[in-house]
Amino acid sequence: MGKLYITRHGQTVWNVEGKVCGATDIELTELGHKQACELGEYIKNNSDIHIDEIVASPLKRAENTARHIAEATGIPMHTEERIREQNFGKYEGGGRRDEDFLEAKRGFVNSFDGGESMLRVAQRVYNLLDEIKNDKDKTYLIVAHNGIARIIHSYFNDMSNEEFANHSMKNCELLEYDFGN
């Protein structure tokens, strides 16, 4: 089949407030739950979409989004530690537009004083994608986070550093990638 689908979790309070919510385990808002249910119904009712398994980040916002999709579609799901969002260390809970944070994000080897570097995150995500690519019998839906979506996009597309930094997904947006095999 050679396809992979990805979605970002539903809306959270910290999304609304513009806070950095990397590895912090934030719940979905009421709208976030609704977005996830609607995406599940969309997948269920779209004959062009075939998904064999849902793989979700273990953080509540992604896992709950995946559960809503699984309940609507009947597709089995499990969590996967390698698609947990990046830990932004001392910047967790701060503002996404904070100049210090934006500057620190430009350093792909920066661990944010107790967090995890972008290169480490990319390593774990790319390793998972290599495994999925080799499983030619299944089509997966990954339910994760904006940072993980950015890394997945870079797996399939050459990007400048600026394009990488600016790539973003909306909550419960559905993207499709082709492994080309």
Side-chain angles (χ1 to χ4, degrees):
M1 297 195 180
K3 286 186 181 178
L4 173 72
Y5 292 92
I6 177 163
T7 192
R8 181 181 178 197
H9 59 77
Q11 182 192 71
T12 69
V13 172
W14 280 17
N15 291 150
V16 174
E17 295 174 351
K19 292 183 177 180
V20 176
C21 61
T24 304
D25 211 2
I26 303 298
E27 295 278 357
L28 294 173
T29 62
E30 187 176 320
L31 175 59
H33 287 286
K34 182 177 184 245
Q35 290 169 326
C37 291
E38 288 173 353
L39 179 57
E41 288 299 318
Y42 173 78
I43 291 168
K44 179 176 114 178
N45 294 320
N46 190 323
S47 62
D48 293 333
I49 298 174
H50 173 79
I51 297 168
D52 297 296
E53 193 168 330
I54 301 169
V55 181
S57 161
L59 295 175
K60 288 183 272 196
R61 59 194 185 267
E63 185 175 359
N64 288 337
T65 298
R67 286 200 191 290
H68 287 305
I69 296 168
E71 288 168 5
T73 62
I75 300 169
M77 68 154 285
H78 71 277
T79 60
E80 169 58 62
E81 186 64 34
R82 290 177 286 181
I83 53 174
R84 175 185 293 271
E85 181 63 292
Q86 181 176 2
N87 183 333
F88 292 108
K90 70 179 185 178
Y91 296 105
E92 296 270 329
R96 284 193 309 252
R97 304 275 182 249
D98 177 76
E99 287 301 320
D100 288 340
F101 174 64
L102 293 174
E103 181 62 33
K105 274 183 68 176
R106 289 188 185 99
F108 290 176
V109 295
N110 190 338
S111 292
F112 308 104
D113 291 336
E116 180 182 24
S117 75
M118 181 63 68
L119 291 180
R120 292 281 183 203
V121 178
Q123 177 187 21
R124 61 180 160 86
V125 173
Y126 277 25
N127 288 346
L128 175 64
L129 293 174
D130 286 343
E131 289 174 20
I132 289 173
K133 180 180 180 178
N134 289 328
D135 187 0
K136 297 178 185 354
D137 295 332
K138 287 187 178 179
T139 299
Y140 292 88
L141 167 63
I142 291 179
V143 181
H145 311 276
N146 202 35
I148 301 303
R150 184 178 296 117
I151 291 168
I152 290 171
H153 191 72
S154 76
Y155 182 90
F156 291 94
N157 299 281
D158 286 341
M159 305 166 73
S160 69
N161 289 347
E162 187 174 333
E163 289 169 331
F164 179 84
N166 291 328
H167 181 76
S168 185
M169 276 189 87
K170 296 176 185 156
N171 296 105
C172 289
E173 179 180 2
L174 186 66
L175 296 179
E176 177 184 326
Y177 293 97
D178 189 339
F179 285 110
N181 47 359

